[in-house]
Amino acid sequence: MTDRLRIVLAQLNPKVGALAANLELGRKALAEAAAVNADILLLSELFLSGYFPEDLLLKPQFIADAIEAAQALAQATRGTGVSLLLPTVWREGTNLYNAVLLAEDGEIVATRFKRELPNDDVFFEKRYFTSGSLAEPLTIKGVSIGVPICEDIWHPEVCAHLVDQGARILLCPNGSPYWRNKQDTRKRLVKARVREDNVPLLYLNQVGGQDELVYDGASFAIEPGDRLVLQGKSFESDFIVSDWHHTENGWRCADGVVRDLPSVDETPWRACVLGLRDYVGKNGFKHVVMGLSGGIDSAVVAAMAVDALGADNVHCLMLPYRYTSETSLKDAKDCAARLGVRYDVVSIGPPVDAVNAELAPLFLDRLPDITEENLQSRMRGVVLMAVSNKFGSLLITTGNKSEMSVGYATIYGDMNGGFNPLKDLLKMQVYHLAKWRNANVPADCFGPAGEVIPRAIIDKAPSAELRPNQKDQDSLPPYPVLDAILEGLVEEELSIREVVARGFDLATVKRIEKLLYLAEFKRRQAAPGVKMTKKALGLGRKYPVTNGYRDESASFPEAEPAPVLRRQGVQ
């Protein structure tokens, strides 16, 4: 048995379904590993298919092509001296597995299968895969190495079995998406496994955006004693080389880089930027178009778009009507200038007035109401979609989670678009990010430094400007109140009684619950957006559109609260 190992964690950004491109990415990683004399190269979970391929896994030809790509990458190890741990789909008989292949000198010499298959709001692996049995360690360069796959390490018995069978190092490939506080959650988990089993655990995560999910990378290693001995980059690809020596106390890291992680303020911005960048690029677009209203949401999205794609690839349109204030016109122009984007003004006045005139005989003597307000929003959507079609730009939309929760958005109007970076951010979080971005230029971002979002936009009261002197608080509680209520109803799934017990008005809470349920039909038709929390609307929170339930708990005498049931083992 050797007493030294050089292990490479390839934290890369594969694209779901792009087998040929991912194969080439794997070949390059293998060549780099050989160039640094690596003993072991680990790739991330389901690397060749990309994680997660969803119902592509039900397509027999896709499975056949993925297995062929895996065999080709295994053959590429010939003559490299590198032992490749390749996570991939794999079929044995009629069973499909989430697997890791060990490839050495051009041959597949062993396979291991994921045992614990997640079945939650993001990944439904039980729909596709057969669960593997408790696996034996692999022998690589004479060293016994366990390879638990992602969800496996959330279940102590998997790692314990590997160590009981002789594993002296654990290498774990993952496809673990970002959400709030996720990086701390992973470290607590891995430290627990290392304390229990007294062997080092190297945790490799993929990076990149995949539809609503963002994988943040941030791969790391923990050795006994709660020592963080490796820390990869967050939200960027990384090639993490580490040297390990066998000591009297077991395997320990002799040389590894520990990078600083982004702050809790920076991580949501980086997640939104990476999610937008990859959604645009991986779907074949080069540039985006959006409405810039002079309000906080569109200003923040414009700044994110510039950070993601560069100013030359962002086109902003101001679409004024008679209710658009001079302040909004000034603020939108100022924001566009600070960001350096193309900025055009297209009046929606003539087409809106023409439609109103055509509808007048049909509406007879009915007074103007929300119908005419929504018509303005829908005309803006028509113009933005026309520009998107003409120039081949992806239209991005700008509604935040607070507004989407209660339906304060116009379907087929300001909801138009192919992607929404703010979809899982509450309104007050948007304000916080705006202030943070004005004081910081995040890593891996293309936007300028300085106050890119004018202070006037941050300070003024939010308004849709669809009628004279309109303010959001005409229709909604103040956003700090609304957001706190939504935190209870959505993020924590509290009862009406429990939210009211936090000091909120009963009628207000019941009204917000009603709006939340009524707006489900809009959210079903909304653009995808970056998942930032476990209860992202749509992907993390699945409620029926047709729904007769209303919480009447606050209308009855006090009762014992129901126990809180918490799901274990989330990726």
Side-chain angles (χ1 to χ4, degrees):
M1 180 184 76
T2 182
D3 63 354
R4 295 171 181 266
L5 284 174
R6 176 164 286 182
I7 301 174
V8 171
L9 306 181
Q11 180 178 294
L12 302 176
N13 187 350
K15 177 181 175 180
V16 164
L19 297 172
N22 296 340
L23 174 57
E24 183 58 26
L25 198 60
R27 289 184 192 274
K28 289 179 179 178
L30 184 58
E32 288 185 55
V36 299
N37 298 312
D39 295 299
I40 300 172
L41 169 63
L42 177 64
L43 299 175
S44 55
E45 186 175 13
L46 293 183
F47 175 79
L48 289 171
S49 64
Y51 196 82
F52 188 66
E54 301 185 50
D55 278 10
L56 280 173
L57 294 169
L58 301 179
K59 195 173 188 65
Q61 187 60 51
F62 177 76
I63 299 302
D65 291 344
I67 291 173
E68 183 179 339
Q71 292 167 335
L73 189 53
Q75 291 167 8
T77 61
R78 180 168 287 116
T80 64
V82 178
S83 297
L84 172 65
L85 289 170
L86 171 58
T88 182
V89 295
W90 197 251
R91 187 180 293 283
E92 285 197 356
T94 59
N95 293 330
L96 188 67
Y97 293 99
N98 183 335
V100 170
L101 313 181
L102 172 60
E104 296 177 331
D105 199 27
E107 302 291 335
I108 297 171
V109 298
T111 58
R112 294 293 185 268
F113 304 136
K114 187 174 184 177
R115 175 178 173 83
E116 301 295 340
L117 303 177
N119 192 45
D120 58 20
D121 60 344
V122 177
F123 305 122
F124 297 94
E125 291 198 22
K126 290 183 180 180
R127 175 178 170 87
Y128 311 104
F129 294 123
T130 298
S131 175
S133 58
L134 284 171
E136 304 302 305
L138 297 165
T139 300
I140 305 176
K141 305 294 193 286
V143 182
S144 183
I145 293 179
V147 188
I149 304 172
C150 201
E151 182 80 10
D152 284 343
I153 66 170
W154 292 84
H155 301 265
E157 63 273 15
V158 177
C159 293
H161 175 80
L162 287 165
V163 173
D164 287 346
Q165 297 302 309
R168 294 298 170 254
I169 302 175
L170 300 177
L171 301 181
C172 181
N174 293 267
S176 178
Y178 166 85
W179 60 63
R180 198 162 49 196
N181 300 321
K182 190 65 171 294
Q183 295 179 350
D184 289 340
T185 300
R186 295 184 194 121
K187 283 198 173 67
R188 288 196 301 270
L189 170 73
V190 171
K191 286 180 178 179
R193 295 293 87 83
V194 171
R195 288 189 206 111
E196 292 160 2
D197 301 317
N198 200 37
V199 298
L201 193 157
L202 286 74
Y203 182 106
L204 170 63
N205 193 26
Q206 77 173 51
V207 71
Q210 172 57 35
D211 296 342
E212 295 100 326
L213 300 179
V214 171
Y215 300 91
D216 53 317
S219 304
F220 63 96
I222 302 289
E223 66 179 27
D226 280 357
R227 287 188 292 273
L228 177 70
V229 293
L230 282 181
Q231 179 62 69
K233 297 177 182 178
S234 291
F235 304 103
E236 298 179 58
S237 296
D238 204 358
F239 192 76
I240 307 164
V241 181
S242 60
D243 290 322
W244 295 77
H245 292 179
H246 188 260
T247 73
E248 61 182 13
N249 295 316
W251 285 89
R252 297 293 184 267
C253 185
D255 186 21
V257 174
V258 177
R259 301 182 184 277
D260 292 334
L261 289 175
S263 69
V264 293
D265 293 316
E266 182 177 345
T267 49
W269 188 276
R270 295 284 299 281
C272 290
V273 166
L274 179 57
L276 175 59
R277 178 185 293 147
D278 276 0
Y279 192 85
V280 171
K282 289 181 178 181
N283 284 291
F285 293 93
K286 298 185 185 304
H287 33 77
V288 298
V289 63
M290 58 172 289
L292 190 63
S293 68
I296 187 67
D297 297 320
S298 62
V300 168
V301 170
M304 288 177 172
V306 171
D307 277 354
L309 307 169
D312 291 343
N313 295 311
V314 181
H315 183 188
C316 293
L317 278 78
M318 159 56 86
L319 303 162
Y321 189 56
R322 67 184 62 165
Y323 306 124
T324 304
S325 67
E326 288 299 321
T327 299
S328 292
L329 288 165
K330 175 180 175 296
D331 290 343
K333 184 177 181 180
D334 185 15
C335 185
R338 293 176 188 226
L339 290 168
V341 300
R342 177 179 172 182
Y343 175 75
D344 291 301
V345 179
V346 179
S347 173
I348 62 167
V352 169
D353 291 343
V355 172
N356 280 328
E358 291 296 323
L359 289 172
L362 183 63
F363 290 172
L364 298 174
D365 57 350
R366 292 175 181 264
L367 295 175
D369 55 17
I370 195 173
T371 307
E372 285 74 18
E373 294 180 23
N374 286 342
L375 182 57
Q376 298 166 52
S377 180
R378 291 187 173 118
M379 189 57 67
R380 291 185 174 109
V382 168
V383 173
L384 288 167
M385 280 305 308
V387 174
S388 170
N389 291 161
K390 183 63 70 176
F391 296 102
S393 302
L394 177 70
L395 174 58
I396 53 177
T397 186
T398 63
N400 61 70
K401 188 173 188 175
S402 304
E403 294 166 358
M404 293 302 299
S405 293
V406 296
Y408 195 66
T410 305
I411 194 166
Y412 321 125
D414 57 319
M415 287 176 61
N416 279 8
F419 196 75
N420 179 3
L422 301 187
K423 187 175 183 179
D424 202 21
L425 288 169
L426 295 168
K427 186 77 169 189
M428 298 311 296
Q429 293 171 331
V430 176
Y431 277 108
H432 180 80
L433 283 178
K435 296 172 184 176
W436 180 86
R437 178 58 181 87
N438 277 349
N440 299 272
V441 182
D444 196 32
C445 290
F446 301 125
E451 194 175 79
V452 293
I453 299 168
R455 187 74 208 185
I457 290 178
I458 297 173
D459 289 342
K460 70 182 177 183
S463 170
E465 295 192 328
L466 298 175
R467 62 177 182 266
N469 303 313
Q470 183 183 22
K471 297 290 184 290
D472 288 6
Q473 289 182 22
D474 298 341
S475 305
L476 300 172
Y479 280 112
V481 174
L482 176 60
D483 286 0
I485 293 173
L486 291 173
E487 281 278 358
L489 293 177
V490 175
E491 311 300 337
E492 301 176 66
E493 294 286 6
L494 298 182
S495 68
I496 294 286
R497 175 185 294 167
E498 289 169 316
V499 177
V500 170
R502 292 181 172 181
F504 298 104
D505 173 67
L506 173 61
T508 300
V509 177
K510 290 180 72 72
R511 177 169 169 260
I512 297 307
E513 182 209 40
K514 179 181 179 181
L515 293 173
L516 183 64
Y517 288 153
L518 290 177
E520 187 64 38
F521 84 99
K522 292 186 180 182
R523 294 190 291 270
R524 289 288 183 98
Q525 301 177 67
V530 177
K531 178 179 168 69
M532 306 289 286
T533 67
K534 292 179 68 174
K535 289 291 184 177
L537 301 175
L539 191 62
R541 181 183 184 275
K542 302 177 188 297
Y543 271 63
V545 173
T546 306
N547 175 13
Y549 177 74
R550 296 296 183 268
D551 179 358
E552 300 296 341
S553 63
S555 303
F556 296 98
E558 193 70 32
E560 289 294 320
V564 177
L565 302 179
R566 301 196 182 279
R567 184 176 62 246
Q568 297 186 4
V570 294
Q571 293 191 59

